[in-house]
Amino acid sequence: SAKTAIKEFIDLYNEVTTTIYEKLTEKRDYSLTGLTDKEKSALSKEDLETYESAYKVGLLSGDNTLRSIRSQMRSIMAAAVPGADSLFNTLSDIGITTGTVGSDYSATMVGTLSITDEDKLDEALKKNPDLVTKLFNQDSDDTNKMGIARRLKEVLNSFTKSDGLLTSRIGRSDGTSNSQMDKQIKALNQQITAQQEKLTSKEESLIKKFAALETAMSNYQAQSESLSNSLSQLLGK
């Protein structure tokens, strides 16, 4: 049962780290741009969904928050657990690594874990199950002294909790938080409103100038006709 739990832990960790790696390395099509409401209304529902799906690809490429999460996850998996027995204070001590020597570089870059020495894990679980438990589950008030699983949970919770770093950056689904992105959107909307007001003011100014020019041209035309009539009368006399 302990071995099954460890395998499940590895599988779930690999699922998360693979997803993050794929999002960080997705290639973005910079020819695709955000659509206006008018452009969206001109598309069918299916075409709009297809376009938006393509537009979202690569949006998280190189994202700093995801890079930080991935970096901390990998550090935890590779770190020793202070206070644990020196025989079993790292995952590699029980046969769990990111790959054997000479493993494919691209696979190593993803950072997935695997049981590369199953005999070592079986022996550790058979002879020192309490020490293996301590490696994963050691408790401490200091995050850096926690077991690997506890430390991973603690670190990820700092990102995913209701007032965590992800919420601080992107907000809540109910829109109740004043996140960094909410502030950016608000600032952009304020800039758009200010520019629209400037354009409206400029438009009104140009319309007034145009009306004034039309009035002036009408006056000049009337004066020209008056002068022409006067000249004709003079020449006639």
Side-chain angles (χ1 to χ4, degrees):
S1 61
K3 188 174 181 181
T4 298
I6 290 172
K7 286 184 175 181
E8 289 176 351
F9 174 79
I10 292 173
D11 289 342
L12 290 171
Y13 173 86
N14 288 344
E15 181 182 344
V16 174
T17 197
T18 299
T19 299
I20 293 176
Y21 180 79
E22 289 173 350
K23 292 297 180 184
L24 285 172
T25 55
E26 274 183 339
K27 300 298 181 183
R28 187 175 179 185
D29 185 352
Y30 287 95
S31 66
L32 300 177
T33 57
L35 300 177
T36 62
D37 291 338
K38 184 177 180 180
E39 289 172 330
K40 288 180 180 180
S41 63
L43 296 175
S44 67
K45 181 179 179 181
E46 292 75 16
D47 289 341
L48 180 59
E49 289 177 352
T50 300
Y51 187 93
E52 290 186 337
S53 294
Y55 180 75
K56 290 176 182 178
V57 173
L59 283 180
L60 294 175
S61 177
D63 182 80
N64 287 333
T65 302
L66 282 184
R67 287 172 63 182
S68 177
I69 293 173
R70 179 171 183 265
S71 175
Q72 292 190 53
M73 287 176 66
R74 297 191 72 177
S75 295
I76 291 169
M77 293 300 106
V81 177
D85 191 279
S86 59
L87 289 175
F88 304 109
N89 64 357
T90 67
L91 287 179
S92 61
D93 291 333
I94 59 173
I96 301 172
T97 68
T98 55
T100 56
V101 177
S103 296
D104 181 71
Y105 174 74
S106 59
T108 304
M109 278 298 295
V110 178
T112 54
L113 297 170
S114 61
I115 301 174
T116 51
D117 191 334
E118 198 151 351
D119 291 339
K120 185 183 286 189
L121 176 60
D122 289 339
E123 185 177 0
L125 288 171
K126 182 179 179 179
K127 295 182 178 179
N128 300 283
D130 292 340
L131 297 182
V132 176
T133 298
K134 199 173 183 181
L135 171 64
F136 283 95
N137 205 36
Q138 177 172 278
D139 198 7
S140 174
D141 293 332
D142 184 349
T143 302
N144 294 320
K145 295 181 180 180
M146 290 179 176
I148 289 171
R150 282 186 179 274
R151 194 185 311 176
L152 182 65
K153 180 180 179 180
E154 188 75 14
V155 169
L156 291 183
N157 190 47
S158 69
F159 286 93
T160 59
K161 62 185 179 181
S162 60
D163 58 345
L165 296 176
L166 285 175
T167 303
S168 172
R169 184 180 178 197
I170 65 175
R172 300 189 182 94
S173 59
D174 60 6
T176 58
S177 67
N178 189 25
S179 68
Q180 294 174 16
M181 287 191 176
D182 289 330
K183 292 176 182 177
Q184 290 176 16
I185 292 171
K186 184 178 180 180
L188 287 172
N189 285 333
Q190 289 174 341
Q191 291 177 31
I192 290 170
T193 300
Q195 290 298 324
Q196 287 175 334
E197 290 174 352
K198 287 182 180 179
L199 288 172
T200 300
S201 177
K202 184 68 174 178
E203 181 184 31
E204 291 175 352
S205 175
L206 289 173
I207 289 173
K208 290 177 180 178
K209 286 182 180 180
F210 182 75
L213 285 171
E214 280 193 320
T215 301
M217 288 295 294
S218 179
N219 292 335
Y220 293 151
Q221 187 174 3
Q223 291 175 9
S224 177
E225 289 176 354
S226 177
L227 287 171
S228 180
N229 290 333
S230 297
L231 184 59
S232 296
Q233 291 175 6
L234 288 170
L235 292 174
K237 288 180 179 181

